[in-house]
Amino acid sequence: MKRNLGILILFFILSGFLSVAYAQETITPENAAKFIGEQKTVCGTVASAHYAAKSKGQPTFLNLDKPYPGQVFTALIWGTERGKFPKPPEEMYSGQKVCVTGTITSYQGKPQIVVKDPSQIKAQ
């Protein structure tokens, strides 16, 4: 009985480690569309960055690897989250290689991650 309990505990511990490792798997912006609904880390170069101050929600768009309108992946930061960043995100990350972690969603057929905290973006 104790042996089975020990095996069961070990299984849960290993499952936790594997799920964290799986969530941190990095993918390219071009492959992000294959992982809609999944937690991933997408790494690429910010090819275009734009703060749409006059648009509803005041979004900031960080487009990785290909600039707008041909973007293949976008990190979206809503205006309500901009104050969490030490500098405007479009200035901080423009032209930099970054990794963005979060749940990949789709907007008008394009994959994106909605960034709610600066810790989701790591400059390389």
Side-chain angles (χ1 to χ4, degrees):
M1 181 74 163
K2 285 184 179 182
R3 183 171 184 253
N4 288 343
L5 181 61
I7 291 172
L8 187 60
I9 291 171
L10 181 61
F11 171 77
F12 283 114
I13 291 171
L14 289 176
S15 295
F17 286 127
L18 290 175
S19 65
V20 169
Y22 181 75
Q24 293 178 358
E25 173 188 347
T26 62
I27 59 173
T28 65
E30 290 79 15
N31 287 327
K34 297 175 187 174
F35 298 96
I36 301 297
E38 295 184 39
Q39 172 97 6
K40 294 289 182 189
T41 298
V42 181
C43 298
T45 302
V46 178
S48 67
H50 177 68
Y51 172 42
K54 295 182 181 181
S55 293
K56 182 180 180 181
Q58 298 181 311
T60 300
F61 304 97
L62 304 177
N63 299 304
L64 304 190
D65 285 358
K66 294 185 180 179
Y68 177 85
Q71 78 275 17
V72 292
F73 175 84
T74 301
L76 169 63
I77 305 163
W78 290 110
T80 54
E81 313 301 339
R82 284 178 59 87
K84 296 178 182 178
F85 290 83
K87 291 178 16 182
E90 68 278 11
E91 294 175 14
M92 283 180 64
Y93 301 113
S94 186
Q96 289 195 36
K97 180 167 175 55
V98 298
C99 290
V100 183
T101 301
T103 301
I104 299 172
T105 59
S106 179
Y107 179 73
Q108 295 185 348
K110 303 277 185 164
Q112 66 177 16
I113 290 177
V114 176
V115 177
K116 297 178 182 179
D117 190 86
S119 66
Q120 289 180 257
I121 303 176
K122 303 287 185 207
Q124 300 298 298

